[in-house]
Amino acid sequence: MTRIALAIAGSEASGGAGAQTDLKTFHQLGVFGCTALTCIVSMDPKDAWNHRFVPVDPDVIADQIETCATVHSRIDAVKIGMLGTAATIEVVEAALKEHDFPIVVLDPVLICKGQEFAGALEVDNALRSRILPRATMTTPNLFEAATLAGMEEITTVDQLKDAARRIHDQGVPNVLAKAGPSLGTGTALDVFYDGATLEVLEVPAVGDERVHGAGCTLAAAVTAELAKGATPLEAAVRAKEVVASSIEHGLRGNIPFPYVYQGGYQQS
């Protein structure tokens, strides 16, 4: 039986991140993907590649989610990426209540590069109070994990473990807190915690640069694996393999950092 995953996320025009990357990741893992676009994002080459951000009307977002939930006989898992505005968060929260999707993976995109700080803070607070409690699993990066955990910064593996525990204590059953190569371990390191099991997950690091779309790929891969029936820890382990492959086979264009490509992954 083909599994179906819904990505509630922004459109990122380059194809290197956002809903475009979610769909490619779902497909790579044998899952049918559908989307509800929350915003349109493009990078401005005349302004240090900052994001140009245009929100989708909340009613249109609700319509898209309704379409996905009713066209398909079921949605096995939902991945939530960039939401961007408090109004978007409100309508997505309402949709989650209405459709009661069985699995929700939250990639908690907090501050979009180039976004005005006060507006970003409002979005961060709404995301934490309205969407985070509805997540089956969340996949914050170092900055997001520190923010959600109420910590100033995370510079060690022990601090990352502590952040994962703190986020779990806010009601999220499964946390995959991401450091990648940023903690200087020589590996791509993340911490998984489900209230009982705490696992440090490491794979060989593929370079040490920021890679556009890596976070989207990881959350989408977790979503696809959960949709297929994997346990959260199994999904996290497989997702790290997918991300490592997407970085290894990544592309480099004119932006000052590489971006992922999922097409080289071979599922074992």
Side-chain angles (χ1 to χ4, degrees), residues 163-178:
R165 292 188 187 99
R166 292 189 189 197
I167 296 168
H168 176 271
D169 289 346
Q170 296 177 47
V172 185
N174 304 280
V175 179
L176 182 60
K178 306 174 297 188

Side-chain angles (χ1 to χ4, degrees), residues 111-135:
I111 293 180
C112 173
K113 185 181 179 186
Q115 192 175 1
E116 189 270 324
F117 179 76
L121 185 61
E122 178 189 16
V123 171
D124 291 359
N125 290 335
L127 186 74
R128 179 186 296 164
S129 64
R130 308 187 76 158
I131 305 298
L132 187 66
R134 298 187 173 278

Side-chain angles (χ1 to χ4, degrees), residues 8-268:
I8 302 174
S11 168
E12 200 283 273
S14 77
Q20 288 87 337
T21 283
D22 293 341
L23 288 176
K24 286 182 276 189
T25 303
F26 293 162
H27 182 76
Q28 189 74 25
L29 291 170
V31 172
F32 183 93
C34 53
T35 58
L37 297 181
T38 58
C39 54
I40 309 298
V41 176
S42 58
M43 290 182 284
D44 187 352
K46 298 179 291 296
D47 183 26
W49 303 99
N50 279 327
H51 291 160
R52 295 176 288 203
F53 169 84
V54 180
V56 172
D57 183 278
D59 289 340
V60 176
I61 298 170
D63 290 346
Q64 293 175 87
I65 297 173
E66 179 187 49
T67 295
C68 294
T70 54
V71 164
H72 303 294
S73 58
R74 74 197 177 280
I75 298 292
D76 295 296
V78 174
K79 183 252 181 180
I80 297 177
M82 186 174 182
L83 298 179
T85 72
T88 296
I89 289 171
E90 182 177 352
V91 77
V92 169
E93 179 193 31
L96 295 178
K97 289 179 180 177
E98 178 181 355
H99 300 294
D100 193 26
F101 299 114
I103 295 168
V104 176
V105 176
L106 173 62
D107 184 11
V109 180
L110 293 183
I111 293 180
C112 173
K113 185 181 179 186
Q115 192 175 1
E116 189 270 324
F117 179 76
L121 185 61
E122 178 189 16
V123 171
D124 291 359
N125 290 335
L127 186 74
R128 179 186 296 164
S129 64
R130 308 187 76 158
I131 305 298
L132 187 66
R134 298 187 173 278
T136 308
M137 188 164 178
T138 188
T139 62
N141 62 25
L142 280 182
F143 168 76
E144 294 157 351
T147 301
L148 293 175
M151 302 166 66
E152 285 192 11
E153 62 179 350
I154 297 171
T155 59
T156 69
V157 176
D158 283 343
Q159 288 175 329
L160 189 61
K161 292 177 182 178
D162 185 33
R165 292 188 187 99
R166 292 189 189 197
I167 296 168
H168 176 271
D169 289 346
Q170 296 177 47
V172 185
N174 304 280
V175 179
L176 182 60
K178 306 174 297 188
S182 300
L183 295 182
T185 60
T187 62
L189 183 149
D190 304 332
V191 169
F192 173 86
Y193 183 61
D194 65 2
T197 300
L198 191 150
E199 292 277 351
V200 176
L201 306 178
E202 295 180 89
V203 297
V206 183
D208 56 6
E209 292 181 279
R210 169 196 171 190
V211 180
H212 188 54
C216 299
T217 301
L218 183 133
V222 165
T223 305
E225 290 301 301
L226 291 176
K228 295 190 297 187
T231 68
L233 180 55
E234 289 169 343
V237 170
R238 175 58 59 84
K240 285 186 65 63
E241 295 174 0
V242 174
V243 172
S245 173
S246 75
I247 295 172
E248 181 181 358
H249 294 92
L251 306 177
R252 185 177 289 276
N254 293 318
I255 56 175
F257 37 81
Y259 48 98
V260 292
Y261 174 55
Q262 294 79 12
Y265 178 68
Q266 298 295 320
Q267 188 167 348
S268 59

